[in-house]
Amino acid sequence: MSPIGMGGPALFLGGEETYVALLRPQLDPADPDVRRSAAEAGVTPEEFAGPGNIWALMLDEADGEGDGFELPGARDIEADDFAEQLQRALAAGEEFTAEAGNFLRLEARPAADTWQVTAYVTPPEGHDGAPHTLELGALLAAELLTDLEEFRRALA
């Protein structure tokens, strides 16, 4: 349950088969894979890598139904606020709901040293995907707190 990404800040919640990830990819134009992909796309590596400031939400379900979309207008401060909101809620130890804009809502219930987490994902306007409800399962409280701290450090 550690952060994933492509060189930028990322918060991964869930397991190997069912997860939601909030990330800001940061591709390196000098990376051979980026250069190759840019050539295949017919653009420069710098164009292909992009500005590195666009947030995205990715998800995958146990049945293999994955999706992902950019989050136009999302900023680092909002991602940090969401992470801080989660940290406070986890520390309180009570059932909670946390929201990241209008695209991600988490509902969590404590169960011993884990949290039962359900994610509700609503794609932004213009994305043709349907809303998703993902049961992320029992997530270890200590790992969640560590991941949130690492995510917030990556944003600083």
PDB file of all heavy atoms in Angstrom, residues 6 8-9 23-27 49-56 70-79 155:
ATOM      1  N   MET A   6       4.827   8.226 -11.231  1.00  0.00           N
ATOM      2  CA  MET A   6       5.839   8.336 -12.252  1.00  0.00           C
ATOM      3  C   MET A   6       6.690   9.549 -11.936  1.00  0.00           C
ATOM      4  O   MET A   6       6.740  10.503 -12.690  1.00  0.00           O
ATOM      5  CB  MET A   6       5.177   8.437 -13.622  1.00  0.00           C
ATOM      6  CG  MET A   6       4.425   7.177 -13.999  1.00  0.00           C
ATOM      7  SD  MET A   6       3.524   7.340 -15.532  1.00  0.00           S
ATOM      8  CE  MET A   6       1.974   7.982 -14.923  1.00  0.00           C
ATOM      9  N   GLY A   8       6.292  11.763  -9.530  1.00  0.00           N
ATOM     10  CA  GLY A   8       5.611  12.833  -8.802  1.00  0.00           C
ATOM     11  C   GLY A   8       4.924  12.284  -7.575  1.00  0.00           C
ATOM     12  O   GLY A   8       4.947  11.088  -7.313  1.00  0.00           O
ATOM     13  N   PRO A   9       4.281  13.161  -6.793  1.00  0.00           N
ATOM     14  CA  PRO A   9       3.570  12.700  -5.600  1.00  0.00           C
ATOM     15  C   PRO A   9       2.410  11.777  -5.968  1.00  0.00           C
ATOM     16  O   PRO A   9       1.734  11.995  -6.976  1.00  0.00           O
ATOM     17  CB  PRO A   9       3.061  13.980  -4.950  1.00  0.00           C
ATOM     18  CG  PRO A   9       3.305  15.078  -5.908  1.00  0.00           C
ATOM     19  CD  PRO A   9       4.180  14.593  -6.997  1.00  0.00           C
ATOM     20  N   LEU A  23      -2.598  11.007  -8.057  1.00  0.00           N
ATOM     21  CA  LEU A  23      -1.206  11.258  -8.382  1.00  0.00           C
ATOM     22  C   LEU A  23      -1.017  12.429  -9.332  1.00  0.00           C
ATOM     23  O   LEU A  23      -1.918  12.823 -10.054  1.00  0.00           O
ATOM     24  CB  LEU A  23      -0.564  10.011  -8.979  1.00  0.00           C
ATOM     25  CG  LEU A  23      -1.237   9.397 -10.201  1.00  0.00           C
ATOM     26  CD1 LEU A  23      -0.228   9.280 -11.324  1.00  0.00           C
ATOM     27  CD2 LEU A  23      -1.750   8.024  -9.831  1.00  0.00           C
ATOM     28  N   ARG A  24       0.191  12.968  -9.279  1.00  0.00           N
ATOM     29  CA  ARG A  24       0.616  14.014 -10.197  1.00  0.00           C
ATOM     30  C   ARG A  24       1.858  13.489 -10.898  1.00  0.00           C
ATOM     31  O   ARG A  24       2.978  13.657 -10.424  1.00  0.00           O
ATOM     32  CB  ARG A  24       0.913  15.322  -9.464  1.00  0.00           C
ATOM     33  CG  ARG A  24       1.341  16.446 -10.412  1.00  0.00           C
ATOM     34  CD  ARG A  24       1.469  17.801  -9.739  1.00  0.00           C
ATOM     35  NE  ARG A  24       2.125  17.855  -8.463  1.00  0.00           N
ATOM     36  CZ  ARG A  24       3.447  17.905  -8.276  1.00  0.00           C
ATOM     37  NH1 ARG A  24       4.277  17.866  -9.290  1.00  0.00           N
ATOM     38  NH2 ARG A  24       3.928  17.987  -7.059  1.00  0.00           N
ATOM     39  N   PRO A  25       1.666  12.810 -12.041  1.00  0.00           N
ATOM     40  CA  PRO A  25       2.810  12.227 -12.748  1.00  0.00           C
ATOM     41  C   PRO A  25       3.799  13.298 -13.191  1.00  0.00           C
ATOM     42  O   PRO A  25       3.409  14.404 -13.562  1.00  0.00           O
ATOM     43  CB  PRO A  25       2.189  11.548 -13.964  1.00  0.00           C
ATOM     44  CG  PRO A  25       0.736  11.468 -13.685  1.00  0.00           C
ATOM     45  CD  PRO A  25       0.416  12.567 -12.729  1.00  0.00           C
ATOM     46  N   GLN A  26       5.058  12.941 -13.132  1.00  0.00           N
ATOM     47  CA  GLN A  26       6.105  13.847 -13.575  1.00  0.00           C
ATOM     48  C   GLN A  26       7.074  13.013 -14.409  1.00  0.00           C
ATOM     49  O   GLN A  26       7.935  12.325 -13.878  1.00  0.00           O
ATOM     50  CB  GLN A  26       6.799  14.462 -12.374  1.00  0.00           C
ATOM     51  CG  GLN A  26       7.563  15.698 -12.676  1.00  0.00           C
ATOM     52  CD  GLN A  26       7.893  16.442 -11.399  1.00  0.00           C
ATOM     53  OE1 GLN A  26       7.843  15.904 -10.305  1.00  0.00           O
ATOM     54  NE2 GLN A  26       8.240  17.694 -11.535  1.00  0.00           N
ATOM     55  N   LEU A  27       6.878  13.048 -15.717  1.00  0.00           N
ATOM     56  CA  LEU A  27       7.697  12.271 -16.632  1.00  0.00           C
ATOM     57  C   LEU A  27       8.977  13.019 -16.975  1.00  0.00           C
ATOM     58  O   LEU A  27       8.982  14.247 -17.107  1.00  0.00           O
ATOM     59  CB  LEU A  27       6.920  11.965 -17.912  1.00  0.00           C
ATOM     60  CG  LEU A  27       5.604  11.202 -17.735  1.00  0.00           C
ATOM     61  CD1 LEU A  27       4.897  11.047 -19.074  1.00  0.00           C
ATOM     62  CD2 LEU A  27       5.835   9.855 -17.097  1.00  0.00           C
ATOM     63  N   ALA A  49       5.966  14.577 -22.198  1.00  0.00           N
ATOM     64  CA  ALA A  49       6.090  14.580 -20.734  1.00  0.00           C
ATOM     65  C   ALA A  49       5.109  15.555 -20.101  1.00  0.00           C
ATOM     66  O   ALA A  49       4.622  15.322 -19.000  1.00  0.00           O
ATOM     67  CB  ALA A  49       7.516  14.919 -20.325  1.00  0.00           C
ATOM     68  N   GLY A  50       4.796  16.635 -20.802  1.00  0.00           N
ATOM     69  CA  GLY A  50       3.855  17.607 -20.272  1.00  0.00           C
ATOM     70  C   GLY A  50       4.461  18.442 -19.165  1.00  0.00           C
ATOM     71  O   GLY A  50       5.628  18.284 -18.812  1.00  0.00           O
ATOM     72  N   PRO A  51       3.658  19.319 -18.587  1.00  0.00           N
ATOM     73  CA  PRO A  51       4.171  20.257 -17.590  1.00  0.00           C
ATOM     74  C   PRO A  51       4.442  19.638 -16.217  1.00  0.00           C
ATOM     75  O   PRO A  51       5.099  20.244 -15.389  1.00  0.00           O
ATOM     76  CB  PRO A  51       3.064  21.311 -17.503  1.00  0.00           C
ATOM     77  CG  PRO A  51       1.827  20.571 -17.872  1.00  0.00           C
ATOM     78  CD  PRO A  51       2.253  19.550 -18.903  1.00  0.00           C
ATOM     79  N   GLY A  52       3.921  18.453 -15.944  1.00  0.00           N
ATOM     80  CA  GLY A  52       4.154  17.820 -14.645  1.00  0.00           C
ATOM     81  C   GLY A  52       3.336  18.418 -13.521  1.00  0.00           C
ATOM     82  O   GLY A  52       3.657  18.215 -12.354  1.00  0.00           O
ATOM     83  N   ASN A  53       2.285  19.173 -13.850  1.00  0.00           N
ATOM     84  CA  ASN A  53       1.472  19.756 -12.783  1.00  0.00           C
ATOM     85  C   ASN A  53       0.003  19.366 -12.908  1.00  0.00           C
ATOM     86  O   ASN A  53      -0.853  19.985 -12.315  1.00  0.00           O
ATOM     87  CB  ASN A  53       1.613  21.283 -12.788  1.00  0.00           C
ATOM     88  CG  ASN A  53       1.084  21.914 -14.065  1.00  0.00           C
ATOM     89  OD1 ASN A  53       0.740  21.218 -15.021  1.00  0.00           O
ATOM     90  ND2 ASN A  53       1.033  23.229 -14.093  1.00  0.00           N
ATOM     91  N   ILE A  54      -0.285  18.330 -13.676  1.00  0.00           N
ATOM     92  CA  ILE A  54      -1.659  17.876 -13.882  1.00  0.00           C
ATOM     93  C   ILE A  54      -1.937  16.673 -12.975  1.00  0.00           C
ATOM     94  O   ILE A  54      -1.272  15.647 -13.069  1.00  0.00           O
ATOM     95  CB  ILE A  54      -1.902  17.467 -15.358  1.00  0.00           C
ATOM     96  CG1 ILE A  54      -1.517  18.586 -16.307  1.00  0.00           C
ATOM     97  CG2 ILE A  54      -3.339  17.006 -15.552  1.00  0.00           C
ATOM     98  CD1 ILE A  54      -2.358  19.836 -16.192  1.00  0.00           C
ATOM     99  N   TRP A  55      -2.909  16.801 -12.112  1.00  0.00           N
ATOM    100  CA  TRP A  55      -3.306  15.711 -11.222  1.00  0.00           C
ATOM    101  C   TRP A  55      -4.181  14.713 -11.969  1.00  0.00           C
ATOM    102  O   TRP A  55      -4.905  15.083 -12.903  1.00  0.00           O
ATOM    103  CB  TRP A  55      -4.062  16.250 -10.011  1.00  0.00           C
ATOM    104  CG  TRP A  55      -3.123  16.835  -9.008  1.00  0.00           C
ATOM    105  CD1 TRP A  55      -2.713  18.131  -8.915  1.00  0.00           C
ATOM    106  CD2 TRP A  55      -2.439  16.126  -7.985  1.00  0.00           C
ATOM    107  NE1 TRP A  55      -1.828  18.277  -7.887  1.00  0.00           N
ATOM    108  CE2 TRP A  55      -1.639  17.058  -7.291  1.00  0.00           C
ATOM    109  CE3 TRP A  55      -2.423  14.794  -7.571  1.00  0.00           C
ATOM    110  CZ2 TRP A  55      -0.825  16.703  -6.218  1.00  0.00           C
ATOM    111  CZ3 TRP A  55      -1.627  14.437  -6.502  1.00  0.00           C
ATOM    112  CH2 TRP A  55      -0.841  15.382  -5.839  1.00  0.00           C
ATOM    113  N   ALA A  56      -4.119  13.469 -11.552  1.00  0.00           N
ATOM    114  CA  ALA A  56      -4.936  12.416 -12.148  1.00  0.00           C
ATOM    115  C   ALA A  56      -5.430  11.489 -11.039  1.00  0.00           C
ATOM    116  O   ALA A  56      -4.845  11.417  -9.961  1.00  0.00           O
ATOM    117  CB  ALA A  56      -4.126  11.621 -13.169  1.00  0.00           C
ATOM    118  N   GLU A  70      -7.728  12.748 -15.918  1.00  0.00           N
ATOM    119  CA  GLU A  70      -7.091  13.951 -15.421  1.00  0.00           C
ATOM    120  C   GLU A  70      -8.097  14.727 -14.590  1.00  0.00           C
ATOM    121  O   GLU A  70      -9.308  14.622 -14.791  1.00  0.00           O
ATOM    122  CB  GLU A  70      -6.592  14.811 -16.584  1.00  0.00           C
ATOM    123  CG  GLU A  70      -5.423  14.216 -17.299  1.00  0.00           C
ATOM    124  CD  GLU A  70      -4.858  15.135 -18.382  1.00  0.00           C
ATOM    125  OE1 GLU A  70      -5.407  16.244 -18.608  1.00  0.00           O
ATOM    126  OE2 GLU A  70      -3.868  14.732 -18.997  1.00  0.00           O
ATOM    127  N   LEU A  71      -7.559  15.527 -13.681  1.00  0.00           N
ATOM    128  CA  LEU A  71      -8.382  16.342 -12.801  1.00  0.00           C
ATOM    129  C   LEU A  71      -8.088  17.810 -13.087  1.00  0.00           C
ATOM    130  O   LEU A  71      -7.242  18.428 -12.435  1.00  0.00           O
ATOM    131  CB  LEU A  71      -8.085  16.008 -11.334  1.00  0.00           C
ATOM    132  CG  LEU A  71      -8.315  14.547 -10.959  1.00  0.00           C
ATOM    133  CD1 LEU A  71      -7.737  14.252  -9.587  1.00  0.00           C
ATOM    134  CD2 LEU A  71      -9.792  14.223 -11.020  1.00  0.00           C
ATOM    135  N   PRO A  72      -8.752  18.360 -14.098  1.00  0.00           N
ATOM    136  CA  PRO A  72      -8.466  19.737 -14.476  1.00  0.00           C
ATOM    137  C   PRO A  72      -8.685  20.695 -13.313  1.00  0.00           C
ATOM    138  O   PRO A  72      -9.684  20.628 -12.614  1.00  0.00           O
ATOM    139  CB  PRO A  72      -9.455  20.027 -15.611  1.00  0.00           C
ATOM    140  CG  PRO A  72     -10.232  18.793 -15.842  1.00  0.00           C
ATOM    141  CD  PRO A  72      -9.858  17.779 -14.828  1.00  0.00           C
ATOM    142  N   GLY A  73      -7.720  21.546 -13.102  1.00  0.00           N
ATOM    143  CA  GLY A  73      -7.844  22.550 -12.054  1.00  0.00           C
ATOM    144  C   GLY A  73      -7.415  22.098 -10.671  1.00  0.00           C
ATOM    145  O   GLY A  73      -7.324  22.913  -9.760  1.00  0.00           O
ATOM    146  N   ALA A  74      -7.159  20.807 -10.473  1.00  0.00           N
ATOM    147  CA  ALA A  74      -6.725  20.334  -9.155  1.00  0.00           C
ATOM    148  C   ALA A  74      -5.318  20.866  -8.877  1.00  0.00           C
ATOM    149  O   ALA A  74      -4.489  20.952  -9.777  1.00  0.00           O
ATOM    150  CB  ALA A  74      -6.740  18.812  -9.100  1.00  0.00           C
ATOM    151  N   ARG A  75      -5.076  21.232  -7.624  1.00  0.00           N
ATOM    152  CA  ARG A  75      -3.792  21.820  -7.251  1.00  0.00           C
ATOM    153  C   ARG A  75      -3.189  21.054  -6.082  1.00  0.00           C
ATOM    154  O   ARG A  75      -3.873  20.329  -5.373  1.00  0.00           O
ATOM    155  CB  ARG A  75      -3.982  23.279  -6.857  1.00  0.00           C
ATOM    156  CG  ARG A  75      -4.573  24.133  -7.968  1.00  0.00           C
ATOM    157  CD  ARG A  75      -4.916  25.510  -7.499  1.00  0.00           C
ATOM    158  NE  ARG A  75      -5.751  25.421  -6.296  1.00  0.00           N
ATOM    159  CZ  ARG A  75      -5.979  26.425  -5.473  1.00  0.00           C
ATOM    160  NH1 ARG A  75      -5.462  27.588  -5.680  1.00  0.00           N
ATOM    161  NH2 ARG A  75      -6.750  26.259  -4.408  1.00  0.00           N
ATOM    162  N   ASP A  76      -1.887  21.241  -5.879  1.00  0.00           N
ATOM    163  CA  ASP A  76      -1.173  20.579  -4.791  1.00  0.00           C
ATOM    164  C   ASP A  76      -1.805  20.878  -3.438  1.00  0.00           C
ATOM    165  O   ASP A  76      -1.920  19.988  -2.596  1.00  0.00           O
ATOM    166  CB  ASP A  76       0.294  21.000  -4.769  1.00  0.00           C
ATOM    167  CG  ASP A  76       1.107  20.412  -5.904  1.00  0.00           C
ATOM    168  OD1 ASP A  76       0.529  19.745  -6.790  1.00  0.00           O
ATOM    169  OD2 ASP A  76       2.342  20.626  -5.910  1.00  0.00           O
ATOM    170  N   ILE A  77      -2.225  22.109  -3.222  1.00  0.00           N
ATOM    171  CA  ILE A  77      -2.784  22.490  -1.928  1.00  0.00           C
ATOM    172  C   ILE A  77      -4.054  21.686  -1.624  1.00  0.00           C
ATOM    173  O   ILE A  77      -4.290  21.294  -0.486  1.00  0.00           O
ATOM    174  CB  ILE A  77      -3.038  24.019  -1.834  1.00  0.00           C
ATOM    175  CG1 ILE A  77      -3.423  24.424  -0.416  1.00  0.00           C
ATOM    176  CG2 ILE A  77      -4.110  24.476  -2.804  1.00  0.00           C
ATOM    177  CD1 ILE A  77      -2.289  24.391   0.555  1.00  0.00           C
ATOM    178  N   GLU A  78      -4.835  21.394  -2.637  1.00  0.00           N
ATOM    179  CA  GLU A  78      -6.053  20.607  -2.432  1.00  0.00           C
ATOM    180  C   GLU A  78      -5.717  19.149  -2.112  1.00  0.00           C
ATOM    181  O   GLU A  78      -6.370  18.533  -1.265  1.00  0.00           O
ATOM    182  CB  GLU A  78      -6.944  20.703  -3.662  1.00  0.00           C
ATOM    183  CG  GLU A  78      -7.458  22.114  -3.875  1.00  0.00           C
ATOM    184  CD  GLU A  78      -7.889  22.409  -5.296  1.00  0.00           C
ATOM    185  OE1 GLU A  78      -7.415  21.745  -6.231  1.00  0.00           O
ATOM    186  OE2 GLU A  78      -8.714  23.319  -5.455  1.00  0.00           O
ATOM    187  N   ALA A  79      -4.701  18.614  -2.761  1.00  0.00           N
ATOM    188  CA  ALA A  79      -4.264  17.242  -2.459  1.00  0.00           C
ATOM    189  C   ALA A  79      -3.732  17.167  -1.033  1.00  0.00           C
ATOM    190  O   ALA A  79      -4.012  16.206  -0.300  1.00  0.00           O
ATOM    191  CB  ALA A  79      -3.209  16.794  -3.458  1.00  0.00           C
ATOM    192  N   LEU A 155       4.737  16.449  -1.522  1.00  0.00           N
ATOM    193  CA  LEU A 155       4.071  17.682  -1.959  1.00  0.00           C
ATOM    194  C   LEU A 155       4.812  18.935  -1.482  1.00  0.00           C
ATOM    195  O   LEU A 155       4.713  19.985  -2.105  1.00  0.00           O
ATOM    196  CB  LEU A 155       2.639  17.749  -1.435  1.00  0.00           C
ATOM    197  CG  LEU A 155       1.651  16.811  -2.098  1.00  0.00           C
ATOM    198  CD1 LEU A 155       0.353  16.774  -1.312  1.00  0.00           C
ATOM    199  CD2 LEU A 155       1.416  17.209  -3.537  1.00  0.00           C
TER     200      LEU A 155
END
